[in-house]
Amino acid sequence: MADYPRIRRVGLSGLLVQFGDGMSEPANRAAIALRAAVDAQDWPEVRETSTSLVSTFVSADLVSTAPEALTEKLQELLHAQDWYNAPLPAGRTLWEIPTLYGTDEAPQLEEAAEAAGVSTQTAIEELSSARVRVLTIGFAPGQPYTGELPPHWNIPRQQALTKSVPAGALVVAIRQLIVFTNASPTGWRHVGQTAFRTFRPNNQTPIALTPGDEICFPSITAAEFARIKTADSSGDGGAQRRVLT
Amino acid sequence: MSALLEVLSCGPAVTVQDMGREGFLAQGLTRGGAADITALHEGAALLGQSTQLAALEMVGMGGSFRATADIRIALTGAPMAATLDDEPLTWNASHLMPAGATLKIGGARNGTYGYLHIGGGVDIPLMMGARSAHLSAGLGEALSAGSSLPLGKDKGNGTGMTLPVENRFEGGCIRVTTSMQTDLFDAETQARFSSTAFRRDARGNRMGVRMDHDGAPFTAAGQLTILSDVIVTGDIQITGDGAPFVLMCESQTTGGYPRIGTVLPSDLARVAQAPTGAALSFAFVDLEEARKIEQRAMTARAALGGSVTPLVRDPHDIRDLLSYQLISGAVSATSNPITSEE
């Protein structure tokens, strides 16, 4: 990774620190840790920060302030420590989100299992026992990209898009699982359905998940799923949570 | 009780918009806000009020509105046919709208996004720190007939003002700065991009606007294996079919399609406003030039209030001539003179 980390200018909107050109666990941790460090610096020209899979975006007003000074400050911060070995943030949450696999609610389970080279039953066992981490929140509000699944789940996106999966859909591709925020077209395969709402605009905390959080998707029956949908109006969809120490 | 604006009828895409929301990028929510930020500044200048107040954004066509009290309004952005109790109203101007009068705003004559500003602003409750609907995120909703909007207290006064407006409603040459993935496109592709005549495709909305062109598709090195990364408003992404797509205020926050450049903020309104079929081209400017252009645009926006002038009207066009105090001390003979509450 001789070329990384590297700093790129993003139009007039800020600077991007990239920790790699592909998904990797250390690069993801580095991006999350650097973001926290930049926030702690409280630099006046910085408006806000965010992370993608392996990069940290520092939104800054490059119209009023030329990018050189901020680039230097970021370089200094990058040299201050080995970001690829940075620990995960403290106070993360472990979520258990009940998930109905397959059935009419999630019609692409078999297809995804086949692509991963396992039986449908094995696919449910693997996906429902995997403990994945929120790698980034993006695309739509609160929408988590989680991973990584074992290597045989490195299945490609579909060539043709599925016209629409509903909110709460659990979809899989490239060793990652996503819970969709809103009904959307997608190339990822729809393997499970949750009643979890990743974005609750009217809540005190509209967005529940944070990068670094961990999630399990335990398998439930259609009857349990129906019960949760009617009983839990909080948006949690029957999810349990506890703080990781 | 605060005044209300009643929606008697309206087009399919009329929403409340303000400057949008900063600070939620990390949580997957782009800024949103008015598609034509300049229009918000113009409305604020015409009414002599804060640029932070919310207005109605009308895509392609407006609607019919009525207020429960005398209010001040201003019309900006894409010029639309507007009447007040069937008498024509001047666009890019402020007007008095008496209680009970019917304001009708029709289709856009040019451009795409028209704005109706109200003295005191539209005062719906804040959602995550702003009043803007962000429909792609599922925040807020489009207005429909029967909607009733609370209005803020109008601390200003005076109507019948106008201001000069730069034509940003017909496309044209859009200035672009390089961005983090520009160098994934070779020099030849970048040069061809700059010299290509594009047309605004019919596929366009607050999330993004597709550009149509004749000739070969544009491609980047390693196009299909690029890792998803941050998107900023104005990014020009090249989608699978090789057509550029300018990402607008309500885009997604991350994406895996390569970005060839980013539209300068002050030229973004021209992309948003370009009607279907309008001719557009893109020209790269270097960083220093881009910063100077934006600094000049900021200065111009700040000076808008000073360029507001009285609307000179032909007396033949003044619908309520009799209600004006033409001679100091004389009061019109018509009932319900409306000037007292301005």
Side-chain angles (χ1 to χ4, degrees), chain A residues 64-232:
Chain A
S64 310
T65 320
E68 286 80 10
L70 184 58
T71 306
E72 256 171 54
K73 286 195 277 190
L74 275 173
Q75 287 286 14
E76 240 171 76
L77 201 53
L78 282 173
H79 288 140
Q81 72 174 82
D82 177 4
W83 294 94
Y84 296 97
N85 278 317
L88 283 162
R92 295 175 303 127
T93 304
L94 170 64
W95 298 83
E96 282 179 32
I97 302 175
T99 304
L100 173 59
Y101 288 91
T103 76
D104 291 349
E105 298 271 357
Q108 290 176 299
L109 175 66
E110 282 175 30
E111 191 185 316
E114 197 176 312
V118 295
S119 69
T120 308
Q121 194 48 45
T122 306
I124 295 178
E125 280 163 21
E126 289 184 351
L127 297 176
S128 65
S129 62
R131 181 155 151 184
V132 289
R133 214 167 69 211
V134 177
L135 303 169
T136 184
I137 301 279
F139 192 79
Q143 184 164 306
Y145 288 69
T146 75
E148 286 191 288
L149 293 169
H152 61 276
W153 283 102
N154 192 14
I155 63 175
R157 298 177 185 85
Q158 313 168 90
Q159 286 284 337
L161 295 185
T162 305
K163 270 208 178 104
S164 183
V165 296
L170 181 69
V171 301
V172 66
I174 56 169
R175 297 180 67 185
Q176 293 175 34
L177 292 165
I178 298 176
V179 182
F180 264 83
T181 291
N182 293 317
S184 328
T186 179
W188 296 48
R189 287 185 174 86
H190 187 190
V191 294
Q193 185 61 42
T194 75
F196 190 78
R197 292 291 165 263
T198 57
F199 181 45
R200 308 165 197 177
N202 299 319
N203 267 27
Q204 196 72 32
T205 311
I207 286 152
L209 304 169
T210 306
D213 281 358
E214 298 190 14
I215 313 184
C216 301
F217 297 98
S219 173
I220 55 167
T221 63
E224 281 173 279
F225 183 66
R227 189 192 57 76
I228 286 170
K229 271 209 296 196
T230 46
D232 189 349

Side-chain angles (χ1 to χ4, degrees), chain A residues 8-11 16 18 35 47-50 52 54-55 62-66 137-142 182 199 201 207, chain B residues 22-28 128 136-139 177-180 183 227 229-230 232 252-254 287 291 294-295:
Chain A
R8 291 295 171 106
R9 179 173 57 81
V10 183
L16 182 71
Q18 295 175 315
R35 179 185 175 222
R47 287 185 292 231
E48 63 181 300
T49 57
S50 67
S52 299
V54 297
S55 64
L62 301 187
V63 172
S64 310
T65 320
I137 301 279
F139 192 79
N182 293 317
F199 181 45
I207 286 152
Chain B
E22 269 195 353
F24 293 101
L25 269 189
Q27 297 180 310
M128 298 174 75
S136 71
L139 202 52
T177 167
T178 57
S179 194
M180 67 204 193
D183 59 9
L227 201 62
D229 218 325
V230 67
V232 297
Q252 64 274 32
T253 55
T254 57
L287 177 62
R291 294 186 59 223
E294 289 310 306
Q295 285 164 2

